[in-house]
Amino acid sequence: MADNTNSKEINSFQKRKNKIEMQKQLITFALMILFTIIAFVIVATGTMEKMFLIPVILVLAVIQVAFQFYYFMHMKDKGHETPALMIYGGIWAAILTIVGLMLLVWW
Amino acid sequence: MKGWMGKFKGLFLLGSLALVLSACGQENLTALEPKGYGAEKALDLIILTTVVMLFVLVIVMLIYTAVLLRYRKKKGQENYIPKQVEGNKALETIWTVIPIILLIIIAVPTVTATFDLADETGASDHLNIQVTGNQYWWHFNYEGQEIQTSQDLYIPAGEKVYLNMKSSDVIHSFWVPSISGKMDVNPENENTMFIEAYEEGVYWGKCAELCGPSHSLMDFKVVVVSQEEFDQWVEDMKNVDPKAQPQDAVAQEGQALFQENNCMGCHAIGSSPAAVGPNLTNFGSRSKIAGILEPTKENLVRWIMDPEEIKPGNKMTGNYPDVSEEEADKIAEYLLQLEPSEITPEDAGK
Amino acid sequence: MSHDHSLNPETMPHEPEKATLEGKNKFLGFWFFLGGETVLFACLFGTYLALRNSTAGGPSTNDLFGLELVFIMTILLLTSSLTSVYAMYHMKNNNFKKMQLWLGITALLGFSFLGCEIYEFTHYIHEYDFTFRSSALGSAFYTLVGFHGGHVTFGLLWLIALMVRNAKRGLNLYNAPKFYVFSLYWHFIDVVWVFIFTVVYLMGKVG
Amino acid sequence: MSIAATQNRGFGAVLWDYLTTVDHKKIAHLYLFGGGFFFLLGGLEAMIIRIQLMKPENDFVSAGFYNEVLTMHGTTMIFLAAMPLILSLMNAVVPLQIGARDVAFPFLNSLGFWLFLFGGLILNCSWFLGGAPDAGWTAYAPLSTTSPGHGVDFYVLGLQISGAGTLIAGINFLVTIINMRAPGMTYMRMPLFTWTTFVTSTLILFAFPALTIGLFLLMFDRLFGSAFFDVSLGGNAIIWEHIFWIFGHPEVYILILPAFGIFSEVIATFAKKRLFGYTAMVFATILIAFLGFMVWAHHMFTVGLGPVANSIFAIATMAIAVPTGIKIFNWLATLWGGSITINSAMLWSLGFIPTFTIGGMTGVMLASVVADYQYHDSYFVVAHFHYVIVGGTLFGILAGLHYWWPKMFGRILDEKLGKITFWIFLIGFHLTFFIQHFLGLMGMPRRYWVFLEGQGLDTGNLISTIGAFLMAIGVILFLANVVITAVRGEKVEDDPFDGRTLEWATASPPVHYNFKQTPLIRGLDPLWIEKTDGNGKITPAEPVGDIHMPNGSFLPFMMSLGLFIAGFGFIYQVNYNWAYILLFGGMGILLACMLIRSVKDDLGYHITKEELEREAD
Ligand code: HEA
Ligand code: HEA
Ligand SMILES: [Cu+2]
């Protein structure tokens, strides 16, 4: 089991790295809030054609979710290859499921 | 000793082939002697795919037998260690590519036939029939014709007929093997399929989706008659007088009993769409009672006395007052003379 | 070799959640679980999308939904996602007190979210007579959103159990993975919510 | 804890040991007995089916009861027999094959088993509580939502509970295989059974949540008045079909892939050859799993999805023949040039090849949409899936049991009896199911309580029934073999079959910590490499040191019991208010156990170096 040698206390290099990471996460958060507001506003004001509106808010949602996964949940970091693989597997099955249920239920 | 394992399989195949040749099952029921467009298309594909599959099977079995004959551990060589082969690119490519080609050979006709059978463009030029699946009986409503029948579906030979199918309760599936493949009858979506029967005859239809205890008894018939006979049948059915008095006295009593017991609450005679129970307009000409029993009076009496014994879980049981055997007999007499048309299953050839 | 090293708060590695084999297993296992949850919610979304117009004569989504409350709920949950990021930040710096503080805030935000959701549901039921049983849409709506709410509730119970249990003893290699895995769960709940507000509420408003 | 020690302990102690064990080898025994029990039950139901269909218009059982038997046969066989038996072999073998001391989550491993068992029990309680489910194992709505009585409710809760157990087992194996391989065991050195376990677990991970949701929807409709499948309130029954098959098709690959893995091991061992085309085998497995998610609608060709959807799904389905074919030919190539020993394990594997090939081919024939309009829901389909499930999965399980029995129990199954069993079962099997292809085409739909006289179906059905009796004899012989072996079976050394993979490098049965020293892996077939290039012993990767072991726990049993009780609560709250006591009580037990598990530190214990050295003597 990994016994640690160098970590009687958190060293300052590590602390700095954590801080930079945190700043990135803050920026991500700001963007997420922004996207949310955009999505709500375009729906509330009804300024956009429905044909465009739905893809736009879906794309906004997908970007937000990518932020959550990659920044908040660290999927961009090392050691997350298998988690990423499994999440993409899940998304693959999820897309098939949703497309199937949307298109092949009423006719 | 194991050599005969391969041979054993071979024997099996031969035996079964013999079986196919000697007996394809009951005429007008089996899918192996098609009498209609859909069934013919299906059989073409069945034969094509079987041939391709047999080809593959033969190859597999050849290698298999060869392996078992040649590479069993030999006496005196107990310690022989074979060469540890990792693989072989060329071989592996071959057995990836050849199956792909074989699959294309069957995929193309499959897709073509699928689109062919799903074609509904000509529907409005042809006879359209509304098919309703019910726990455990079938109802047919000839669209635009004011004709309603149950259990026996009359269609003209050599004509495309479009069936618009929907269920009133659970999912059923409409299957007349020798005329066409099946189509599910769903409660929320209407399905359309066409059938075209080549020859006159009475064809067995079956429900092919588990729908309750009497699923296996939900048979029906497709009565294929010539175009002239069909036209006459339509004419006769349109002119039915639901109130008509039967000739003989017993039947008249039966008719009275039929009214008294409120049988009309569920059943209809004539083109009224009441559809809790089967429409009885041409009951006397039906090829079977309840889809399965020979159309004799004894059987009908049995049915009226205790339908549960014949079709467990049916919706008639318990929904009418008890009738005595005598009364049932009279009702049966009445019902069996409901023959508004001269065109009956007997006219459908055989 | 002493066997209780994993309980010693002094030895805090860079990634405490993955410092032991147990931790690594938990980390990976939980990610996989989330992969499965993706399909779980996909089925609910699919069902909802298939039934979104099945009002059976009752109110439609456009009649029902108000955007203000949903917006507030969204902000609450998004923020709680950030606060749990802060908690993990402090965990990595081995600052247990601050971690607990941020987790506490996360819990508070979570409870407010849940409160709004309960209010929303009762509102629909009383004002519109729109229930779980009134139409297929009702069933699909309450099931999808309710499953998410159920996840939030379970998450809150879990979080409180974790915080209370470890309040006295602080952070160590045995419980660090547990906190970390919780934070993953909480983010995932947020992910689901992003799709719920987009697919259910915003698209429901557009029709 | 050697065998001798186990035998000397009292019955109570052994029972308690099994109730609380988290050792993967004991859990393998539990799965074996649980799954075996349900297999007999499912087989008994199959016999009832066959007796009823022995002659036309038979009245051996009533219509309603037939539907119950047929539903329970399918459900039991798939969820409670085949999958647990596979999980038994996975548990027994996979940690050994990768050189691990246990699985990643021993506690969850045991929880998975108890959930399966209690789920199965709940399902079978329905027999005594007003009737079993009767809507087919596919439980199509609205038949399932309107089926009277509580039968389908038992189906829903039983599968929900045991499904949760399977999902847990899947995640467990994934993590075990990723994180706990011995040093040097790269992915491309993993034995194929480990590979197929890995891929199967992925399938479980993505397929079972769909079943979970499907069952929830069904449960809400039946027990809580929702309207998912109620057409009058805008519901749609096709949704159930999609969700069921989105789960259901991957499920059939969950059943077959581990069997593929078993055959790969058995064939390589007894041909004394390295598996031909190992890399291709691995990628074929992955490809099958991947494609397996895109073909579900081939069960719904006749639903009316339209020609576009039907064509797409038909082509995707056919594509699966390619990777499967790669496997078949690779097995043949492995045999080619080998020095083949034919014993019982090998017989089942050799019997599998032609049988499964036929089954797979009828599968491709089914994928041919328009032809499927004829085949669908007829006995042709019944024949297809018994060829692949019995001829693939069940043969695989039997091959695996004969092969690994010595590893699991330290005794070898009787060879002579094993061979007789095989031949009787094989002949019975083909008699039963080959003819059913023709019955289907001759117009016999499946799920038919009776077939009518005079439709040309009599002879075929009679032959089929005779075959089923032969299969039953086969099964009984196998049971006899197990009993005889247990009583006076031959004890074996560690490596009776001249094995190639790591599990043969430990004792038979293995000590509870599996390996005293974690092995160092130098290539594919590590033991074989050491036998041919080394001294026949695996090199250890670490010095003898303390071994960390997990503690046993009674909580998994209690948690599953809690769900079991709550299950009855859910079912009966419809009729009686007191059932809420069961519902909340059961859930309370579950949550309390979860809380205990969460707050009580469970750090396991250590076997010290000294103890290890002492035990070695
Ligand atoms: C272990 C379980 C298992 C397996 C492995 C399979 C494998 C396959 N199945 Fe099967 N199937 C079931 C279990 C299984 N099935 C069950 C239980 C049902 C019914 C469920 C119910 O309704 O109750 C069913 C039903 C079913 C249907 C629906 C039928 C209907 O209801 O109308 C279809 C349709 O396409 C189908 C197709 C296939 C195909 C194409 C494969 C392929 O994977 C087969 C691939 C294998 C081969 C093809 C053989 C080897 C290949 C070669 C030697 C190479 C060369 C070959 C060619 C070029 C063809 N299956
Ligand atoms: C793993 C899966 C599996 C297995 C192994 C089997 C095994 C068998 N099945 Fe299978 N079967 C299914 C899965 C399986 N089946 C499924 C999914 C369905 C569809 C259900 C549905 O439509 O919903 C089905 C449906 C089905 C039907 C169609 C029913 C119908 O549509 O009406 C038939 C009919 O012949 C049948 C027969 C058999 C037979 C004879 C065996 C034999 O191989 C069984 C051999 C075993 C034995 C014979 C046991 C012998 C032991 C004893 C008798 C001793 C008993 C003693 C004690 C209990 C102490 N099965
Ligand atoms: Cu399938």
Side-chain angles (χ1 to χ4, degrees), chain B residues 210, chain D residues 37 39-44 46-47 49-50 53 66 70-71 73-75 77-78 81-82 135-139 255 379 382 385-386 389-390 393-394 425 429 432-433 436 445-449 464 467-469 471-473 475-476 479:
Chain B
L210 181 60
Chain D
F37 168 74
F39 174 74
L40 291 181
L41 217 57
L44 198 65
M47 294 315 290
I49 292 178
R50 281 319 326 165
L53 296 178
Y66 181 85
L70 122 93
T71 303
H73 164 67
T75 313
M77 280 297 195
I78 290 200
W137 83 285
T138 52
L255 292 173
Y379 263 78
V382 176
F385 69 73
H386 283 92
I389 289 194
V390 178
T393 308
L394 191 62
F425 193 92
F429 168 80
T432 309
F433 295 113
Q436 289 185 358
R446 62 191 280 207
R447 296 170 169 173
Y448 261 29
W449 161 56
S464 187
F469 274 100
M471 271 195 280
I473 296 174
V475 173
I476 290 168
L479 290 183

Side-chain angles (χ1 to χ4, degrees), chain D residues 263-280:
Chain D
F263 295 126
S264 302
E265 308 283 319
V266 172
I267 288 176
T269 303
F270 295 112
K272 282 232 170 322
K273 266 185 72 195
R274 184 195 149 105
L275 189 68
F276 190 92
Y278 171 86
T279 321

Side-chain angles (χ1 to χ4, degrees), chain B residues 43-287:
Chain B
L43 188 66
D44 290 348
L45 269 175
I46 292 173
I47 290 170
L48 172 73
T49 48
T50 310
V51 169
V52 174
M53 295 307 140
L54 281 179
F55 170 73
V56 179
L57 185 64
V58 165
I59 292 178
V60 170
M61 290 318 291
L62 282 178
I63 307 176
Y64 181 82
T65 326
V67 162
L68 287 184
L69 291 179
R70 288 175 57 185
Y71 298 110
R72 309 273 312 273
K73 187 182 263 174
K74 314 255 177 350
K75 283 245 154 51
Q77 293 193 356
E78 270 79 16
N79 291 324
Y80 164 70
I81 293 182
K83 194 156 158 262
Q84 304 290 309
V85 195
E86 249 185 64
N88 181 321
K89 282 257 158 52
L91 276 178
E92 291 180 51
T93 316
I94 291 179
W95 62 59
T96 310
V97 173
I98 293 186
I100 293 181
I101 297 173
L102 293 176
L103 289 176
I104 294 174
I105 294 179
I106 59 179
V108 173
T110 297
V111 173
T112 326
T114 308
F115 278 89
D116 181 20
L117 285 189
D119 182 23
E120 294 170 20
T121 43
S124 52
D125 307 338
H126 291 86
L127 181 59
N128 272 259
I129 300 171
Q130 180 79 42
V131 177
T132 312
N134 303 277
Q135 271 168 331
Y136 316 115
W137 56 279
W138 297 87
H139 187 73
F140 309 106
N141 175 359
Y142 290 68
E143 282 172 25
Q145 306 256 32
E146 292 182 24
I147 299 176
Q148 317 254 351
T149 67
S150 295
Q151 304 295 45
D152 284 6
L153 171 65
Y154 284 73
I155 58 168
E159 274 291 317
K160 267 190 176 177
V161 176
Y162 284 81
L163 306 176
N164 305 310
M165 310 194 280
K166 207 159 168 177
S167 164
S168 73
D169 37 50
V170 304
I171 302 174
H172 305 277
S173 191
F174 180 96
W175 189 28
V176 193
S178 32
I179 296 183
S180 185
K182 55 187 81 60
M183 177 68 105
D184 286 4
V185 182
N186 300 315
E188 67 283 276
N189 292 305
E190 188 173 271
N191 273 337
T192 301
M193 82 187 277
F194 67 81
I195 54 176
E196 181 185 341
Y198 295 151
E199 290 173 27
E200 293 181 30
V202 180
Y203 299 91
W204 284 85
K206 294 190 172 273
C207 175
E209 183 61 64
L210 181 60
C211 58
S214 283
H215 166 54
S216 56
L217 304 172
M218 196 173 150
D219 286 9
F220 62 100
K221 306 287 166 306
V222 176
V223 181
V224 181
V225 293
S226 71
Q227 183 70 54
E228 301 82 65
E229 286 167 328
F230 181 73
D231 291 340
Q232 197 198 328
W233 180 80
V234 168
E235 212 43 44
D236 294 342
M237 288 296 283
K238 273 185 177 167
N239 296 327
V240 166
D241 172 14
K243 300 258 151 50
Q245 283 254 330
Q247 310 285 303
D248 74 288
V250 186
Q252 278 171 9
E253 274 179 65
Q255 186 182 29
L257 281 165
F258 192 75
Q259 309 287 1
E260 257 164 54
N261 287 311
N262 197 23
C263 302
M264 291 293 253
C266 299
H267 297 281
I269 294 174
S271 62
S272 130
V276 182
N279 182 298
L280 302 175
T281 311
N282 60 348
F283 189 87
S285 340
R286 289 260 190 92
S287 46

Side-chain angles (χ1 to χ4, degrees), chain A residues 66-77:
Chain A
F67 278 154
Q68 283 272 0
F69 274 123
Y70 278 92
Y71 285 89
F72 282 16
M73 297 166 83
H74 301 281
M75 225 163 77
K76 66 179 175 21
D77 294 359

